[in-house]
Amino acid sequence: MKMLINVAETVVADALRGMAAAHPELAVDVENRVIVRRDAPVAGKVGLVSGGGSGHEPLHGGFVGPGMLSAACPGEVFTSPVPDQMVRAAAAVDSGAGVLFIVKNYTGDVLNFDMAAELAEDEGVQIAKVLVDDDVAVTDSLYTAGRRGTGATLFVEKIAGAAAEEGQPLERVEALARQVNENSRSFGVALSACSTPAKGSPTFDLPAGELELGVGIHGEPGRERRAMMTSREIADFSVNAVLEDLNPRNPVLVLVNGMGATPLLELYGFNAEVQRVLIERGVPVARTLVGNYVTSLDMAGASVTLCQVDEDLLRLWDAPVRTAGLRWGM
């Protein structure tokens, strides 16, 4: 596999150095692997900290900034960050209003954020935690007990981030984050496997004429493999899998997310089919976001995330945001 890297051992550090050069509004600690809003801590504002393995960019570091995360902790590729990173991030963003940890449901992330919460509280930082577990494809996987955390992480970080930006208290920001997660479901499809820098070759075998329905963002297996399907057929399967579990009564936010190697031409075409299914099922759409946001290195494929929203959640979604990976209204 050809990769635009120096050596596998420095790929995360090299990326962080490049991020620091491109985004002077961020304080990027390459050695300690922490990305922080340069204006943190903001007086009276709840801090939002998330993180996870690298390879899912722009998640999470690309979502640090006004209206979203206060800090992010990148681990090695597909590997959880360590508690020291999270404690350092919490201390950097704590203004005395408390810190919310947003954690995707992967075993390493959960264990390390739990440990970090105890350590941070020992240092006098008030911590709340929200677990994101939106993937409907499988109940348990190689990396999780329960459902995996995937595309809904973006919705949680954006809406909770907007509430924190308004100065809402920790209890309210936490409650909103939980509400978003409880009202979100996702389903992903892989057209090709991803390749990690350390391995230098595909992480699993997916024959050219097949796809994986319900794939995880680390390449974990999904529900089944089938012969290649059309965009229309994939949208039917994916959206119906989400709606069988979510059954929304309110309008929904739609995220049509690329896995890293799928061109926007294909993603927008896939979005047209997703919207068709939602219309056929009588589900009103409030807002739609299309692009590569929660990726899996160079995997070809896409995921669909729906989040049913009320007026308050929609207002917070529309609120201004200015990060490397998501920005509007500023």
Side-chain angles (χ1 to χ4, degrees):
M1 301 295 296
K2 295 179 180 178
M3 295 183 179
L4 194 62
I5 64 173
N6 293 316
V7 293
E9 291 77 13
T10 66
V11 66
V12 175
D14 291 344
L16 290 174
R17 288 191 296 106
M19 188 174 200
H23 297 284
E25 71 276 13
L26 299 176
V28 181
D29 185 337
V30 177
E31 181 179 357
N32 294 298
R33 307 290 174 89
V34 178
I35 303 164
V36 183
R37 284 177 57 161
R38 194 169 288 280
D39 62 351
V42 178
K45 178 186 174 299
V46 170
L48 265 66
V49 174
S50 193
S54 296
H56 305 303
E57 290 74 23
L59 189 82
H60 296 274
F63 297 148
V64 175
M68 218 159 172
L69 293 177
S70 307
C73 307
E76 292 296 328
V77 173
F78 292 178
T79 302
S80 172
V82 298
D84 284 352
Q85 291 173 258
M86 303 158 189
V87 173
R88 190 179 295 270
V93 304
D94 180 39
S95 68
V99 173
L100 177 66
F101 283 169
I102 298 173
V103 188
K104 301 190 306 302
N105 188 32
Y106 296 95
T107 301
D109 290 359
V110 173
L111 292 174
N112 286 344
F113 270 102
D114 283 348
M115 187 180 301
E118 294 179 6
L119 294 170
E121 288 174 339
D122 287 343
E123 296 182 5
V125 180
Q126 183 183 2
I127 301 290
K129 293 175 294 182
V130 170
L131 190 68
V132 182
D133 57 353
D134 54 303
D135 182 20
V136 303
V138 293
T139 302
D140 298 295
S141 74
L142 299 174
Y143 292 79
T144 64
R147 291 179 167 175
R148 303 175 291 212
T150 58
T153 313
L154 184 151
F155 290 151
V156 172
E157 292 178 356
K158 171 62 184 75
I159 290 173
E165 205 71 41
E166 291 181 346
Q168 297 197 36
L170 180 60
E171 295 78 8
R172 178 59 179 161
V173 176
E174 177 188 5
L176 285 165
R178 292 188 187 282
Q179 181 183 354
V180 172
N181 178 63
E182 290 166 1
N183 285 280
S184 298
R185 301 290 189 276
S186 297
F187 192 90
V189 177
L191 309 183
S192 72
C194 59
S195 303
T196 64
K199 192 172 190 297
S201 61
T203 55
F204 60 96
D205 179 37
L206 185 57
E210 296 182 2
L211 53 73
E212 182 86 34
L213 293 167
V215 72
I217 57 174
H218 306 98
E220 314 98 301
R223 291 187 178 182
E224 60 180 293
R225 287 189 179 181
R226 288 191 183 181
M228 186 60 194
M229 300 157 65
T230 66
S231 177
R232 182 184 185 91
E233 292 168 335
I234 295 170
D236 283 330
F237 193 101
S238 302
V239 177
N240 284 324
V242 170
L243 293 178
E244 285 171 9
D245 199 286
L246 183 62
N247 191 26
R249 299 174 302 280
N250 295 340
V252 296
L253 304 176
V254 179
L255 171 62
V256 172
N257 172 68
M259 293 295 197
T262 304
L264 277 171
L265 179 72
E266 296 178 30
L267 289 177
Y268 277 116
F270 183 54
N271 179 55
E273 298 298 341
V274 168
Q275 302 287 330
R276 171 189 58 79
V277 180
L278 292 171
I279 290 170
E280 291 174 355
R281 293 289 299 270
V283 179
V285 173
R287 302 286 186 273
T288 301
L289 184 65
V290 178
N292 290 284
Y293 294 102
V294 183
T295 63
S296 184
L297 293 168
D298 60 344
M299 183 186 289
S303 62
V304 177
T305 305
L306 303 182
C307 175
Q308 64 171 334
V309 292
D310 55 23
E311 290 183 1
D312 192 38
L313 293 185
L314 185 59
R315 179 186 64 80
L316 292 167
W317 174 256
D318 287 340
V321 59
R322 188 172 72 248
T323 69
L326 198 70
R327 58 180 62 206
W328 57 68
M330 286 186 172

